[in-house]
Amino acid sequence: MPNRDLLDKEYVLFRDFLEQQCGIVLGENKQYLVKSRLAPLMQRFGVASLSELVSKTLSPFERQLRSAVIDAMTTNETLWFRDTYPYELLKNQIFPEMEKTSRSIKIWSAASSSGQEPYSIAMTALEYQQIKPGAFSLGVHILGTDISNTMLEHCQRGEYDGLALSRGLSPERRSKFFEDSGKGMMRVKDPVRKNVSFRHLNLLDSYTLLGKFDIIFCRNVLIYFSADLKAKIIRQFAQSLNPRGYLLLGASESLSSLNSDFEMIRCNPGIIYRKKT
């Protein structure tokens, strides 16, 4: 039987490795999380113990293993239209401000995971355009980025099983925006897919090559970073936004004193941040 024990010193080394590679900060007592996420990789990579797996991960020569470990540790479950209110704010407040913009609208989903967020944004934009014909005449483009290549491949396929579709997606939207792709899977329809693209990005790296955005979604991500790295990421978001562009964070996340480039706007419900001019 595989040995899933992990010594305290091994955990500390792995925790430091993870923070260095992708900025995620594990607490003092998150060994259980490491065990649950990495245990499935033991058989895949032919190792008999979790200690051996961690030891190999720390080697710079184990690229495939390192990639799999980072995938396992950074992949989070997500929902369609998570928390609802960000998408209502798009339709009721943000989109009306931007609908006559004389260029395409660019939106960035900064941790796209398995694709639900960027596709939910695209569906919201299409719903808005159906209500307001002529809005966004030059289009709305959504970019989804993630550190996990496995998740990006999943996003690009745009296929989901019944369980994934049951998490936050109404029957009406399922019927409207998805088609049967066989073997119990449903695929996002082309009118949604054509407005969404995906690419690999580590949030610790530069965003310069992504260009400028009107809206950035980075929801339920900053909670995993240290205060210094949060501040760095927020600074880079500010540089990536057009004047008076919007930043949407998770319900439990706040800029607080991390950055002075944004003004906080209280909504009912929720809070959004607008870049100062």
Side-chain angles (χ1 to χ4, degrees), residues 10 18-19 22 28 38 40 43 48 51 67-68 83 98 141 148 159 167 184 188 217 219 246 256 272:
E10 293 169 334
L18 195 65
E19 182 173 1
C22 52
E28 294 293 333
L38 299 190
Q43 181 176 4
S51 292
S67 177
D83 297 329
M98 298 182 175
H141 178 71
S148 168
E159 289 188 324
R167 295 169 60 82
V188 181
F217 275 65
R219 308 194 66 246
Y246 286 97
S256 59
I272 55 178

Side-chain angles (χ1 to χ4, degrees), residues 101 103-106 129 135-141 195:
T101 301
R103 54 174 172 74
S104 63
I105 298 298
K106 290 185 64 180
Q129 289 174 297
F136 309 130
S137 59
L138 294 180
V140 178
H141 178 71
N195 295 327

Side-chain angles (χ1 to χ4, degrees), residues 115-130:
Q116 282 88 333
E117 181 174 270
Y119 284 132
S120 293
I121 296 169
M123 293 176 207
T124 303
L126 286 174
E127 290 172 345
Y128 186 82
Q129 289 174 297
Q130 288 166 357

